[in-house]
Amino acid sequence: MSDFFYVAALSAAVLALVQAVTYLVGRRIGRYNVVDVAWGVGLVAVALVALVAGDGDLTRRILLAAIVSVWGLRLSWHMWLKSAGAGEDPRYVALLERHGGARPVTVITRIFLTQALAQWVISLPVQVAAVSGPVSGVSWLLVAIGTALSVTGFVVEATGDWQLRRFKSDPRNRGVVMDRGLWAWTRHPNYFGDACVWWGIYGISAATWPGVLMIVSPVLMTYFLVVGTGARLLEQHMADRPGFAEYQRRTSFFIPWPPKV
């Protein structure tokens, strides 16, 4: 148990550092949506801490570090490209307005500290797996299933982001709703893929006790993606876009499904 507290404390310290640096960068460039770039970077940092500081099953530590690193670095690079040259995210503008404006204490507590806490909870399966083990026998089947789910989710998420970026790069598609490729099967393939990645990571962690108790991580991640800061909020912003209501009627909200005729 003391090993877990050591990894957990190191993870918290690393996340605090990542968010502190991100806050300073955001303050310098005049927009705080740079925190979205730090989401993947922070989780990668925790995975590397778990790899180095943990004493659990080495194969599993390497596997989790590899999955989280590939996923997190791609996501952060995507968010950087998406936000470069753009203004502040309306979500953060509205959030700060609700809490008295962009005072430093409000920005730090409502945006950066909140994200650090969320990252720490989301990464619990990685932290616990770092001090658990060894994996043996039939438990490797759960590791294999979790790995397959994470890889599938990564491919879906990355493909959805690439398809959307390519679609938006064509001036002829300005103001047009993206309904092609994976986006014809689900209105949020990137969020669905993201959820699969973390359910897979949970599966890998759950192969040994007490990883199975860390189900709060994928549940919370899925909540963020669907309700908290993801799909529902995005659709509120797109509600008035021409063609979006019809797109909603024929396309599955989250889980991929053949579109209605």
Side-chain angles (χ1 to χ4, degrees):
M1 184 61 71
S2 59
D3 292 334
F4 168 72
F5 288 131
Y6 176 63
V7 171
L10 278 180
S11 299
V14 168
L15 289 172
L17 177 61
V18 169
Q19 293 300 332
V21 171
T22 306
Y23 166 72
L24 294 175
V25 172
R27 186 169 183 177
R28 182 176 180 82
I29 66 178
R31 56 181 175 85
Y32 296 113
N33 59 352
V34 69
V35 72
D36 294 335
V37 179
W39 178 252
V41 171
L43 290 168
V44 170
V46 172
L48 295 179
V49 165
L51 172 63
V52 174
D55 61 355
D57 189 284
L58 178 61
T59 300
R60 187 166 56 163
R61 277 188 285 144
I62 293 173
L63 176 62
L64 286 170
I67 291 174
V68 176
S69 295
V70 172
W71 167 84
L73 293 177
R74 187 216 68 88
L75 179 61
S76 289
W77 178 245
H78 169 73
M79 297 307 299
W80 175 260
L81 294 177
K82 183 179 178 180
S83 62
E88 184 62 279
D89 192 313
R91 295 174 302 165
Y92 299 125
V93 173
L95 174 66
L96 294 175
E97 286 178 350
R98 289 197 303 269
H99 295 91
R103 296 175 300 171
V105 65
T106 304
V107 172
I108 291 171
T109 56
R110 296 291 177 176
I111 296 179
F112 294 91
L113 180 58
T114 299
Q115 186 177 99
L117 290 172
Q119 287 172 311
W120 188 86
V121 175
I122 292 295
S123 63
L124 277 174
V126 179
Q127 298 177 48
V128 169
V131 296
S132 305
V135 182
S136 60
V138 72
S139 296
W140 280 112
L141 178 59
L142 190 55
V143 172
I145 293 172
T147 302
L149 182 57
S150 288
V151 171
T152 300
F154 173 81
V155 172
V156 170
E157 181 182 8
T159 301
D161 284 337
W162 174 77
Q163 289 176 339
L164 182 60
R165 186 167 62 249
R166 186 180 181 190
F167 178 83
K168 287 184 173 181
S169 67
D170 188 340
R172 294 172 297 180
N173 295 326
R174 187 178 300 276
V176 179
V177 174
M178 168 56 159
D179 61 354
R180 308 169 191 176
L182 292 176
W183 299 83
W185 287 65
T186 166
R187 305 200 297 270
H188 304 282
N190 46 355
Y191 292 152
F192 173 77
D194 205 342
C196 288
V197 169
W198 284 92
W199 278 102
I201 288 171
Y202 165 70
I204 296 171
S205 178
T208 54
W209 183 263
V212 68
L213 301 178
M214 299 301 107
I215 195 170
V216 63
S217 166
V219 169
L220 186 60
M221 177 65 93
T222 305
Y223 172 80
F224 286 152
L225 294 169
V226 175
V227 180
T229 59
R232 294 292 186 192
L233 189 59
L234 178 60
E235 295 207 350
Q236 290 176 13
H237 288 295
M238 297 184 65
D240 296 331
R241 181 171 296 185
F244 187 70
E246 195 277 330
Y247 175 61
Q248 286 180 304
R249 284 192 292 269
R250 72 172 185 269
T251 308
S252 171
F253 170 65
F254 194 71
I255 299 174
W257 199 256
K260 298 177 183 177
V261 177

